[in-house]
Amino acid sequence: MLSKVVCVTMPGMAPFEFGVICEVFGIDRGAHGGPAFDFHVTAAEPGPVRTKLGFDIVVTEDLSAAADADLVAIPAYQEGTSIHPEILRVVREAEARGAWVLSVCSGAFVLGAAGILDGRRSTTHWMYTEALALAYPKTEVDPDVLFVEDRRVVTGAGTAAGIDAALHIVRKELGAAAANIIARRMVVPPQRDGGQSQFIQAPVTDCRSDSFAAVTEWMLHNLDQELTVDSLARQSLMSPRTFARRFRAELGTTPTAWLNRQRLLRAQQLLEETSRSLEEVAADTGFGAAAVMRHHFVKVLQTTPTAYRRTFGGSRVR
């Protein structure tokens, strides 16, 4: 079970990505029913650590704290920064004992230098995917996703995708309810659809216009209904073709894929927090039948609803 989390800092690290790791794992959410991790910030050489923006963060703990960590997290760092050999040792040892290893953005290069991406899929910021593939040809780099998990090694894509990657680990270890509590406090979606390819060489836009904020909220309140593109288009006062095109452009996925993801998240919540039968959960979430719901669980979560309830049902989060 995820308990002890160690963030490894290094000169030239990016403050935002460092802050993502601290925000997800470093704050006690117990008062709100969420998790409280044993969180440590470490450095190969404790003391002032200069960030890529030129200010220092004072780190008091050395890398010995990572010896029994359940998760070792590496934030992004400035290109060209030399990697201390003790950091590479810590990453290798964490992977060898079966602990989680997380990198955010360019932090993937530390994992590559440690050799733990060999034979694994990975990702990083879209600006660096080609460089990662060239530097470490034994890893299969996916440039289009927000994060990749491959046998407990999680690589996050650019910058804010570190939130998605970190919440994914929380969700896998503690369940959807724990991830949702953290996401709600951070005012971010508990799970985003689409990949980082939607951000490449594109202007920054609000991914949810007023019209789509309204219709997606309506969809969430009507997941148990048959929601077709035609009916959603009518709700949005658009033609079906225009609705489907604009939905994908603004939310990075199709209406059907978005609905299936939200239905899956709702089903996870019901399996964790209620004793409803699988058929009832399937009906309440719009899957219609337990067999259909099972198909989506296996496809996306690599587990069955029954196994998920066995793992996360009841009060797993204190």
Side-chain angles (χ1 to χ4, degrees):
M1 188 172 180
L2 189 63
S3 177
K4 185 176 183 180
V5 178
V6 170
C7 177
V8 178
T9 66
M10 56 189 296
M13 72 175 178
F16 180 90
E17 287 82 345
F18 168 71
V20 164
I21 295 169
C22 294
E23 181 72 22
V24 174
F25 299 108
I27 297 178
D28 185 345
R29 315 280 184 182
H32 299 272
F37 300 105
D38 179 15
F39 183 70
H40 299 258
V41 176
T42 67
E45 298 176 354
V49 176
R50 180 62 53 91
T51 69
K52 67 181 295 184
L53 295 186
F55 62 85
D56 294 342
I57 294 175
V58 179
V59 179
T60 59
E61 286 193 81
D62 63 25
L63 295 177
S64 63
D68 59 348
D70 301 305
L71 165 63
V72 171
I74 309 292
Y77 69 103
Q78 192 166 25
E79 184 181 3
T81 302
S82 61
I83 306 171
H84 198 289
E86 284 299 292
I87 294 177
L88 300 180
R89 178 188 61 79
V90 163
V91 170
R92 293 187 189 110
E93 291 180 353
E95 187 270 344
R97 68 173 181 270
W100 287 96
V101 179
L102 166 68
S103 68
V104 181
C105 194
S106 58
F109 286 83
V110 175
L111 276 53
I116 70 168
L117 294 185
D118 291 358
R120 283 184 164 98
R121 293 175 58 247
S122 64
T123 194
T124 187
H125 193 290
W126 58 264
M127 291 175 61
Y128 309 131
T129 51
E130 288 188 11
L132 184 66
L134 286 172
Y136 305 106
K138 293 182 180 180
T139 182
E140 179 186 344
V141 181
D142 189 337
D144 296 326
V145 295
L146 294 175
F147 63 87
V148 169
E149 180 205 338
D150 193 329
R151 288 167 290 153
R152 299 178 72 83
V153 173
V154 179
T155 47
T159 313
I163 300 173
D164 301 274
L167 289 176
H168 170 75
I169 295 175
V170 174
R171 189 179 302 108
K172 288 292 291 283
E173 283 286 310
L174 302 178
N180 291 348
I181 289 169
I182 296 173
R184 192 175 301 116
R185 287 294 307 277
M186 293 178 66
V187 198
V188 297
Q191 186 155 340
R192 291 192 291 169
D193 291 294
Q196 65 171 334
S197 59
Q198 63 188 297
F199 303 108
I200 298 174
Q201 295 181 346
V204 177
T205 60
D206 184 354
C207 68
R208 295 180 78 179
S209 65
D210 290 343
S211 60
F212 279 96
V215 74
T216 52
E217 187 71 20
W218 183 82
M219 291 161 75
L220 289 173
H221 284 91
N222 292 275
L223 290 178
D224 59 334
Q225 303 299 312
E226 183 179 359
L227 301 178
T228 65
V229 171
D230 287 350
S231 65
L232 295 172
R234 285 194 298 271
Q235 184 72 20
S236 302
L237 303 178
M238 301 181 195
S239 70
R241 185 173 180 178
T242 298
F243 176 82
R245 176 176 54 80
R246 288 190 56 192
F247 192 99
R248 186 179 187 103
E250 295 203 21
L251 281 86
T253 188
T254 66
T256 299
W258 191 90
L259 267 174
N260 284 338
R261 166 50 61 188
Q262 301 309 315
R263 284 171 168 153
L264 194 61
L265 289 171
R266 180 71 59 82
Q268 288 176 265
Q269 180 184 12
L270 293 177
L271 290 170
E272 290 181 28
E273 300 176 0
T274 75
S275 59
R276 296 177 189 174
S277 69
L278 296 186
E279 290 292 347
E280 289 174 324
V281 171
D284 289 345
T285 54
F287 285 121
V292 176
M293 181 172 70
R294 186 183 191 279
H295 167 79
H296 286 281
F297 263 74
V298 172
K299 180 180 179 181
V300 178
L301 302 176
Q302 291 82 52
T303 189
T304 65
T306 299
Y308 184 89
R309 170 172 271 169
R310 188 183 306 120
T311 302
F312 296 113
S315 294
R316 282 289 303 269
V317 181
R318 300 296 183 205

